[in-house]
Structure formats: structure tokens, C-alpha cells
Amino acid sequence: MKNILMYLLFVTSIVLLFGLSFSYSQSQESAGQKVFIDSKCGSCHSVESAVLTSKKKDAIDLSTTGDDRTIEFLKKYIAKEEKINDKAHKFSFKGSDEELNSLVEWLA
């Protein structure tokens, strides 16, 4: 009887620990992702690799943005200091430099 209780206690603790660690990892979002959401970038853009999908049908997916552009270029583009195909970003980033760095590093 004692062995059965110890076994049940062991299995229950494993299940609880797994559940806690899984829920904790799911609730963690990076600082850049938080800036993306808080700045409402998702109204025009998607990041499908992070399961962030825009409601806009012709939304630009930024999942591979870091493959083509450097972090410094992305900072300047979001701040409307650079252009892509002779077009500046529609909106100038209104957050802090720290938030901009977090966003760009997350996108890269």
C-alpha cells in the first residue's frame, strides 16, 4: 500500500511540474514581441513564425525580415530614415530607443 501511494505521489508531482513549466513557457513573450503587439504593428504586418497574424488580407509577413536586412537598416527604416523601393515606412516609430532595439532584434 505504501508503494502505491508513493508511486501516485511521484506521478502526480511529475504531471504538476510538467504542467507548470509548460504554462510558464507559453506565457513568456520576448520584449520585442511585446513591443510589436503594443505598438499595433499587427494591424499592417504578420509574423507567422510567432503565430501573429494580421486581420489585413494583404499584410506583409515579417518572419524572414532579418534574413534580408541588417538590424541597423531596420532601425532606420522603422524610424523613417531609410527607404525600401523608394518608399518610407508608413508610420514613424513612436516608442523609446530601447523598445525600437527590442523590436528590431526580435524581428532579426
Side-chain angles (χ1 to χ4, degrees), residues 19-68:
L20 286 173
S21 65
F22 182 76
S23 66
Y24 180 75
S25 68
Q26 293 297 315
S27 67
Q28 293 292 334
E29 63 181 28
S30 71
Q33 184 176 356
K34 183 173 177 8
V35 172
F36 183 89
I37 294 167
D38 292 347
S39 298
K40 306 218 184 322
C41 299
S43 60
C44 296
H45 302 289
S46 292
V47 183
E48 293 180 11
S49 62
V51 194
L52 295 172
T53 308
S54 176
K55 294 176 185 173
K56 192 174 174 185
K57 291 184 181 190
D58 60 342
I60 298 170
D61 182 25
L62 302 177
S63 295
T64 60
T65 299
D67 296 346
D68 304 343

Side-chain angles (χ1 to χ4, degrees), residues 10-108:
F10 176 74
V11 170
T12 304
S13 62
I14 294 294
V15 170
L16 286 174
L17 289 174
F18 179 76
L20 286 173
S21 65
F22 182 76
S23 66
Y24 180 75
S25 68
Q26 293 297 315
S27 67
Q28 293 292 334
E29 63 181 28
S30 71
Q33 184 176 356
K34 183 173 177 8
V35 172
F36 183 89
I37 294 167
D38 292 347
S39 298
K40 306 218 184 322
C41 299
S43 60
C44 296
H45 302 289
S46 292
V47 183
E48 293 180 11
S49 62
V51 194
L52 295 172
T53 308
S54 176
K55 294 176 185 173
K56 192 174 174 185
K57 291 184 181 190
D58 60 342
I60 298 170
D61 182 25
L62 302 177
S63 295
T64 60
T65 299
D67 296 346
D68 304 343
R69 311 273 189 226
T70 65
I71 289 176
E72 288 304 314
F73 178 84
L74 290 172
K75 284 181 193 177
K76 290 179 181 179
Y77 179 69
I78 293 172
K80 295 184 92 169
E81 296 172 4
E82 286 283 348
K83 295 181 179 183
I84 296 177
N85 297 329
D86 292 328
K87 293 181 182 178
H89 193 261
K90 286 186 179 183
F91 303 101
S92 181
F93 185 75
K94 293 178 177 48
S96 68
D97 287 339
E98 183 179 313
E99 291 173 327
L100 179 60
N101 288 335
S102 296
L103 175 64
V104 172
E105 288 174 11
W106 178 69
L107 288 172

